[in-house]
Amino acid sequence: MTSENRPNPRFEEDMQFKRFAGPPRYNRVARGPVQHVRVVADNGVVIGYVWANDEDDAAGWLVPPGLGAAEINAGAAWLRKLRAAKAREIAPTTLLTELIRDTSDIQGSRVVPGSPAESTTLDELKELANQG
C-alpha cells in the first residue's frame, strides 16, 4: 500500500497579486525654492513647518527635533490637511494659502502670523527646522 503526499490543490493555484495605490500624496522632494508656514502649539512651541513647491507638485511636513508626545501628536492634524488637499487635487501653494486663511478645525496649534516665507531649497528649510 503506497500513500501519495499530494499537495493541497489550493497551493497549486496561480496567485494574483494586485498592487493597490494608497491615498494620493504630494511628492516629498522639491528641487527648487519652497514656500513654508511655521506652525506653533498653543504654548508657543514650534511643532513644524508645512512646505510647498508647485513645480514639483511637492509638499510636506517637517518636524523639529526634541518635541514631546503632545506636540508630535498635534502634527497629525497638519498631515491630514496635506493628504486632504492632495485628494482634492489642489496645488501645493494653494494649500498654504488655505492654511493661512483658516485652520479653525485644528485644535491646539496654529500657523504663525506673517507666513508664508520662502527658502531657496528644501535642505535650507530642513536646517531651519533642525534649529528648533
Side-chain angles (χ1 to χ4, degrees):
M1 185 167 148
T2 61
S3 71
E4 251 182 77
N5 288 334
R6 301 183 83 197
N8 186 321
R10 291 187 323 173
F11 294 132
E12 295 176 355
E13 292 177 14
D14 186 24
M15 296 191 65
Q16 305 260 331
F17 291 105
K18 296 179 183 175
R19 176 171 273 176
F20 290 96
R25 293 191 173 144
Y26 292 109
N27 292 323
R28 294 182 179 177
V29 177
R31 293 175 294 209
V34 294
Q35 293 183 22
H36 57 87
V37 295
R38 188 170 40 167
V39 178
V40 295
D42 286 342
N43 62 6
V45 172
V46 176
I47 63 168
Y49 298 83
V50 179
W51 61 270
N53 173 293
D54 285 342
E55 290 79 29
D56 295 316
D57 191 37
W61 170 250
L62 284 176
V63 179
L67 295 178
E71 288 88 8
I72 291 171
N73 289 337
W78 298 94
L79 285 170
R80 284 191 297 274
K81 284 281 193 187
L82 279 165
R83 291 183 182 140
K86 182 61 177 174
R88 292 185 333 216
E89 298 180 355
I90 67 169
T93 56
T94 302
L95 164 65
L96 291 183
T97 303
E98 286 184 5
L99 294 177
I100 292 166
R101 242 184 294 135
D102 181 31
T103 54
S104 59
D105 59 331
I106 296 179
Q107 302 296 316
S109 58
R110 66 188 184 290
V111 171
V112 173
S115 296
E118 186 169 295
S119 294
T120 56
T121 64
L122 182 55
D123 287 337
E124 182 181 290
L125 178 58
K126 287 178 181 179
E127 286 179 31
L128 176 66
N130 284 332
Q131 295 171 5

